[in-house]
Amino acid sequence: MLPPSCDERTPRGHPRWCGVASLVIVGCLVGFGVLQTPSSAQVEERRLTANHQPEDGSTRYRWHAMTKEAEFGGRYAHTGVYLSNGEMLIFGGSHDDNKAVVLNGTYSYDQCAYLNDVWRSRDNGSTWQVVPPESDTWMPRRGHASTLNYNMVSMFVIGGLCGSGCYLNDTWLSEDGAVWTFAGYANWRSRHGHTVVTIGGVTTDTLIMFGGHDGDRYLNDVWKIFDPSTQASDWTVVKHAAEWSPRYGHGAVVRKNRDIVLTGGFFASGVERTCLRDVWGSSD
C-alpha cells in the first residue's frame, strides 16, 4: 500500500542515492555515479567492467544485470540486508521524487510516495517477491538505516525521513521481514541519511550510528547501543563531533578485524554543495 503524497521541497542538486546489499545494486536513480536504470524502452544489455582486470582472467571486477526490471517498483533511498540463509531483503524508500510541477510559470519540485514495503529475493536478486506484513510495521520512509545483528538473523530499520519536516528516530526489528516489533525511540536527534553498522559477538550485538541530517543541520556525531532488541532507547554518545566533517548519504562498513571504514557523503552550506570522497577509519 502506497503512503499518501507529501509536499516536501528538496533543493535542486540534492543527491539521489541507491542502496547496496551484498555487492548487488538495487534501485532506480544514480547511486554515487554508479548505476542508472533506464525505462523499459531504453534498456539494453550492458556489462560494466573495471579498468583494471585481474591477471588471472577472473570476472570478480565485472558487473552484470541480475534483472533488468525487478518486480518491485523503482525507488531510491531504500536499504537492504543479506541474511545468513542467503536471502536478500530491501526496505522502503521513495519514488517519483523531484518531479517538476509548473504553477503560474513557476517550477516547484514535489516529493511523494514514501514506501514501507518489504521485498525478498532468494536467487541473488534475479527475482523478487513482496513480503506481506503480518503485524504493525514501520511507517513509510526513505533515508533510513538498516543493519543485521551479528549472526545475520535479526534485521533492524532505524530512523529516516517520513515527509516534509518528518524525521524519525525509531527502531524496528524483525527476523522474517513480515512480523515487526517496535523497539523504542532513540535518545539521539531524529534524522535521515545516517548509517549504522553492527559489531560484536554471538551473544552481544553493538550497533554504531554515524552522522546524517536532522532537518536543521548536517551531523558528524557517533552513537552506540548494546543489544538494541531490548533497549532501543538507551544509546550512548561516543562523540558529539567526530574528526570527519558533518555529512549525510555516506557509507560505512566493518572489516573482518572489526575496524570501521566510513566513506563519502554529501554536505551543503548556502549555495555550496559538496559530494565528499574522503575515507576515514576507526578501530574503536
Side-chain angles (χ1 to χ4, degrees):
M1 179 177 178
L2 293 179
S5 297
C6 59
D7 62 354
E8 180 189 0
R9 266 58 172 180
T10 295
R12 299 181 69 178
H14 233 50
R16 301 290 178 251
W17 41 275
C18 292
V20 180
S22 186
L23 294 181
V24 176
I25 296 178
V26 288
C28 63
L29 300 181
V30 176
F32 298 118
V34 176
L35 176 68
Q36 183 174 13
T37 302
S39 65
S40 58
Q42 297 173 317
V43 168
E44 63 178 359
E45 189 169 7
R46 63 188 65 177
R47 178 169 296 183
L48 303 179
T49 306
N51 292 331
H52 174 70
Q53 292 298 316
E55 295 181 358
D56 59 8
S58 69
T59 59
R60 59 182 175 174
Y61 295 153
R62 296 180 181 176
W63 293 81
H64 65 277
M66 306 304 296
T67 178
K68 298 176 182 177
E69 290 189 353
E71 288 78 4
F72 55 82
R75 65 191 63 208
Y76 81 104
H78 52 295
T79 56
V81 296
Y82 185 86
L83 302 179
S84 59
N85 62 5
E87 295 181 353
M88 291 190 295
L89 291 94
I90 63 170
F91 314 112
S94 179
H95 67 79
D96 289 338
D97 185 72
N98 211 25
K99 183 178 181 181
V101 177
V102 182
L103 179 63
N104 297 325
T106 301
Y107 282 88
S108 63
Y109 295 86
D110 287 348
Q111 293 180 334
C112 54
Y114 286 69
L115 306 170
N116 66 343
D117 52 350
V118 178
W119 290 79
R120 174 192 291 120
S121 175
R122 293 189 171 103
D123 55 8
N124 295 319
S126 296
T127 61
W128 295 83
Q129 302 79 39
V130 68
V131 181
E134 298 178 5
S135 68
D136 290 338
T137 187
W138 36 276
M139 66 189 303
R141 64 190 66 195
R142 69 170 173 90
H144 45 288
S146 295
T147 189
L148 297 170
N149 66 341
Y150 193 73
N151 61 10
M152 300 175 65
V153 174
S154 296
M155 60 197 84
F156 300 89
V157 169
I158 304 171
L161 178 70
C162 51
S164 179
C166 178
Y167 297 85
L168 300 166
N169 65 346
D170 53 348
T171 297
W172 292 78
L173 62 105
S174 175
E175 291 190 358
D176 60 4
V179 177
W180 290 87
T181 300
F182 173 63
Y185 295 102
N187 51 332
W188 38 261
R189 291 176 63 88
S190 301
R191 65 190 66 197
H192 73 132
H194 51 298
T195 55
V196 177
V197 299
T198 302
I199 60 174
V202 176
T203 59
T204 302
D205 295 316
T206 302
L207 269 57
I208 305 178
M209 186 198 68
F210 315 96
H213 191 277
D214 65 2
D216 295 322
R217 61 184 182 272
Y218 295 88
L219 305 167
N220 62 339
D221 52 350
V222 181
W223 295 74
K224 68 179 179 180
I225 187 172
F226 299 101
D227 194 12
S229 61
T230 60
Q231 48 183 6
S233 61
D234 192 20
W235 292 74
T236 301
V237 62
V238 178
K239 280 197 170 185
H240 287 290
E243 289 79 2
W244 39 273
S245 61
R247 65 192 64 199
Y248 99 128
H250 44 287
V253 296
V254 179
R255 300 174 61 189
K256 289 183 178 180
N257 62 1
R258 294 164 55 96
D259 285 356
I260 300 169
V261 179
L262 184 144
T263 61
F266 177 83
F267 176 80
S269 178
V271 297
E272 298 295 327
R273 303 176 184 278
T274 304
C275 287
L276 302 166
R277 58 178 183 176
D278 50 351
V279 180
W280 293 80
S282 175
S283 58
D284 59 2

